C-alpha cells in the first residue's frame, strides 16, 4: 500500500523554483499546484513544470497552454495523466483481431438487429443489402453480438429468397491474387445442391466459391480461365450437423492451392492451376450471386463474414477461432 | 474566484534521486525564462516507490512540511 505524499513550499519564492528529489527515493509525480504572480514579470509567459534529470537534461516540459500576461496572476494545477486501461468487450476483441489483421478487405459482422443493410467494417466498405428479410439479430455464433439466419428457400424457378449481396468496389486485387474467406456457420441444410456460404463474382463468372459439398463438408473452389481445371479443396468434417463452427477457405495465388479450415484446423487442401482474377467482384452471403437468378442458396445461421486478399496462416485462423469462442 | 488553470504531467515518468522538479515561467514564443515571476502556495504531490530523507527546495529541506495526504491501494 502506497501513501501519497504532499510536499508544501512555505511562503513566496521566485521562479524558477526547484525541488530536488531526495536521496534514495523513487516516486511518481502526481500533481503540482501553484499560484503564479506575474506582477513583476518582464513579459507574458506560460507557467511550466520541467523535470530535469540528475545529469541536467530536461526530460519533460509541461507548460500550461494559457498565456499569462505580464502583471497578471493565475492559479495553476498540473495533474498526471490518468493511466487508462482500455475497456474491450468480447465482441470488439474478436472484431479488433479480425479487423486489424493484415490484408483485410471486407468484414461483415452481421450484428444488425433490424433494417436491410449489413455494414462492412473493412476498408473496402461494401455494405450488403439484405434481400428477402433474413432473420436479423439472432444469437451470435461467437461469444457476443448477433448473427443472421437465412432460410435457404427458393422460388418456383430456383431463385434465392433470402440472401445478402452487394456491388463490389474492390478494384484490382493485389498480386498474386490470394484470398481467404472466414465465416461462422450453424445449420442443418442439405449439401445436395452444393449451396453457397459466400460467393465472389464479377457479375458474369464465379471468382471463387465457398460452399457446402459432398456429404456436408466445406468446400473452397477457385475458378481460373474458362476451360481449365479448377482447384477444389474439400474438407473432411461434416459441418451441416447443427453444430456451430468457424469455416475458412483460402486460395494461394502463387501456388494455386486451395485449403479448407474448420475451427482453425486444416480440414482439406488441393493443388491446382487456377488463378484468382478480380477487378471489381460482387460479394454475396448465402447465395451464388453471379447468376442473375441468384441461385444455390444455403439455409442456417451465418456470422462474422470476413474477406482477405491474402492466404491467412493456420495460426491466424486458429487465433480467430479461439477469440470467437472466448478461449 | 476563478477556477485554476489545468495542465498535464506525463503518466509514466519516475523521479529518482537527484532529479529536479522545476516550476518556471517561459516565454511562449522563445521558451526563454521570464524573470520577475513569483510563486506561492506551491505543493507537489508524489507517490513514493522508495523514499528516504534529504530533499531540498531551493536548498532548504522541506521535510518538516511533508505530510501524508492520500492513502491508496
Amino acid at each position: 500500500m502506497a501513501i501519497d505524499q504532499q510536499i508544501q513550499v512555505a511562503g513566496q519564492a521566485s521562479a524558477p523554483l526547484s525541488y530536488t528529489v531526495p536521496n534514495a527515493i523513487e516516486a511518481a509525480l502526481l500533481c503540482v499546484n501553484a499560484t503564479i504572480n506575474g506582477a513583476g514579470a518582464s513579459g507574458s509567459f506560460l507557467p511550466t513544470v520541467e523535470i530535469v534529470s540528475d545529469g541536467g537534461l530536461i526530460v519533460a516540459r509541461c507548460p500550461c497552454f494559457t498565456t499569462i500576461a505580464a502583471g497578471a496572476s493565475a492559479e495553476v494545477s498540473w495533474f498526471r495523466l490518468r493511466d487508462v486501461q482500455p475497456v474491450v468487450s468480447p465482441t470488439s476483441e474478436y472484431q479488433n483481431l479480425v479487423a486489424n489483421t493484415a490484408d483485410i478487405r471486407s468484414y461483415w459482422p452481421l450484428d444488425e438487429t433490424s433494417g436491410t443493410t449489413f455494414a462492412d467494417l473493412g476498408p473496402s466498405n461494401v455494405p450488403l443489402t439484405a434481400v428477402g428479410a433474413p432473420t436479423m439479430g439472432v444469437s451470435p455464433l461467437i461469444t457476443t453480438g448477433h448473427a443472421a439466419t437465412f432460410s435457404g428457400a427458393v422460388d418456383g424457378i430456383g431463385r434465392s429468397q433470402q440472401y445478402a449481396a452487394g456491388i463490389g468496389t474492390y478494384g484490382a486485387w493485389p498480386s498474386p491474387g490470394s484470398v481467404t474467406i472466414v465465416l461462422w456457420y450453424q445449420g442443418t441444410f442439405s449439401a445436395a445442391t452444393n449451396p453457397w456460404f459466400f460467393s465472389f463474382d464479377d457479375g458474369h463468372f464465379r471468382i471463387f466459391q465457398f460452399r457446402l459439398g459432398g456429404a456436408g463438408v466445406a468446400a473452397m473452389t477457385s475458378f481460373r480461365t474458362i476451360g481449365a481445371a479448377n482447384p477444389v479443396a474439400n474438407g473432411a468434417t461434416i459441418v451441416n450437423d447443427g453444430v456451430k463452427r468457424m469455416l475458412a477457405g483460402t486460395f494461394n495465388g502463387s501456388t494455386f492451392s486451395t485449403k479448407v479450415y474448420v475451427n482453425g484446423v486444416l480440414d482439406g487442401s488441393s493443388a491446382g492451376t487456377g488463378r484468382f482474377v478480380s477487378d471489381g467482384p460482387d460479394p454475396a452471403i448465402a447465395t451464388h450471386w453471379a447468376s442473375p437468378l441468384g441461385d444455390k442458396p444455403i439455409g442456417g445461421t451465418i456470422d462474422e463474414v470476413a474477406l482477405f486478399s491474402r492466404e491467412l496462416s493456420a495460426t491466424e485462423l486458429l487465433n480467430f477461432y479461439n477469440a470467437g469462442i472466448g478461449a | 474566484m476563478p477556477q485554476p488553470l489545468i495542465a498535464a504531467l506525463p503518466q509514466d515518468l519516475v523521479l529518482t534521486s537527484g532529479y529536479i522538479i522545476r516550476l518556471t515561467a517561459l516565454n511562449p514564443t522563445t521558451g526563454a525564462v521570464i524573470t520577475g515571476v513569483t510563486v506561492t502556495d506551491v505543493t507537489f504531490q508524489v507517490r513514493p516507490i522508495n523514499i528516504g530523507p534529504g530533499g531540498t527546495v531551493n536548498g532548504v529541506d522541506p521535510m518538516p512540511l511533508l505530510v501524508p495526504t492520500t492513502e491508496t491501494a
Side-chain angles (χ1 to χ4, degrees):
Chain A
M1 178 178 294
I3 299 177
D4 294 346
Q5 304 283 320
Q6 182 166 285
I7 302 163
Q8 299 175 329
V9 180
Q12 175 177 296
S14 296
L17 175 146
S18 295
Y19 169 72
T20 302
V21 177
N23 293 328
I25 187 174
E26 289 183 344
L29 181 60
L30 304 181
C31 179
V32 176
N33 294 298
T35 299
I36 315 291
N37 187 337
S42 57
S44 60
F45 60 92
L46 299 175
T48 302
V49 169
E50 293 176 328
I51 308 299
V52 184
S53 74
D54 52 357
L57 182 69
I58 297 175
V59 296
R61 176 171 283 156
C62 314
C64 170
F65 286 108
T66 300
T67 301
I68 309 300
S73 297
E75 185 179 345
V76 187
S77 293
W78 286 260
F79 294 102
R80 186 176 69 156
L81 297 171
R82 287 186 60 192
D83 187 10
V84 177
Q85 298 297 322
V87 178
V88 179
S89 70
T91 296
S92 61
E93 179 182 348
Y94 183 88
Q95 291 186 351
N96 284 336
L97 178 62
V98 172
N100 291 312
T101 295
D103 303 309
I104 180 82
R105 302 304 298 266
S106 282
Y107 178 25
W108 302 278
L110 307 186
D111 278 340
E112 288 79 0
T113 57
S114 62
T116 57
T117 302
F118 292 114
D120 179 2
L121 302 187
S124 298
N125 190 23
V126 181
L128 303 183
T129 299
V131 178
T135 305
M136 305 169 87
V138 303
S139 296
L141 302 186
I142 61 170
T143 52
T144 55
H146 299 93
T149 296
F150 299 84
S151 68
V154 296
D155 66 8
I157 56 174
R159 293 179 299 185
S160 304
Q161 296 301 287
Q162 286 188 349
Y163 57 94
I167 303 301
T169 54
Y170 295 93
W173 203 256
S175 178
S178 300
V179 67
T180 295
I181 179 72
V182 182
L183 56 85
W184 292 66
Y185 175 74
Q186 182 176 27
T188 57
F189 201 75
S190 169
T193 58
N194 292 331
W196 294 45
F197 297 115
F198 184 86
S199 71
F200 206 45
D201 308 318
D202 68 358
H204 301 284
F205 301 107
R206 294 161 290 183
I207 303 300
F208 73 82
Q209 64 181 27
F210 191 48
R211 58 174 172 78
L212 272 178
V217 300
M220 176 74 172
T221 302
S222 176
F223 289 88
R224 59 161 299 165
T225 48
I226 295 173
N230 303 310
V232 182
N234 288 296
T237 303
I238 301 299
V239 299
N240 62 346
D241 57 356
V243 177
K244 68 179 179 183
R245 291 183 177 87
M246 189 189 87
L247 310 178
T250 68
F251 172 71
N252 186 307
S254 297
T255 64
F256 308 126
S257 67
T258 53
K259 297 175 184 173
V260 170
Y261 292 82
V262 174
N263 292 346
V265 176
L266 184 64
D267 201 49
S269 63
S270 173
T273 56
R275 69 184 180 90
F276 179 71
V277 216
S278 171
D279 56 0
D282 301 327
I285 296 172
T287 194
H288 168 196
W289 181 235
S291 164
L293 296 178
D295 59 4
K296 294 184 182 293
I298 195 169
T301 299
I302 297 177
D303 200 1
E304 311 296 328
V305 182
L307 177 67
F308 301 82
S309 57
R310 175 171 62 88
E311 180 190 17
L312 267 58
S313 70
T315 300
E316 288 176 303
L317 293 170
L318 186 58
N319 288 340
F320 283 7
Y321 173 69
N322 286 331
I325 63 172
Chain B
M1 183 71 181
Q3 294 295 309
L5 300 173
I6 303 297
L9 297 170
Q11 69 176 26
D12 55 355
L13 183 66
V14 174
L15 306 177
T16 58
S17 300
Y19 271 54
I20 294 171
I21 307 168
R22 186 160 65 199
L23 184 54
T24 187
L26 301 181
N27 182 303
T29 303
T30 66
V33 172
I34 295 294
T35 59
V37 175
T38 58
V39 293
T40 54
D41 303 321
V42 177
T43 61
F44 304 107
Q45 190 167 350
V46 299
R47 179 166 299 165
I49 301 170
N50 178 24
I51 192 167
T56 59
V57 173
N58 286 353
V60 177
D61 185 357
M63 286 302 287
L65 300 173
L66 189 65
V67 293
T69 57
T70 306
E71 190 171 273
T72 59

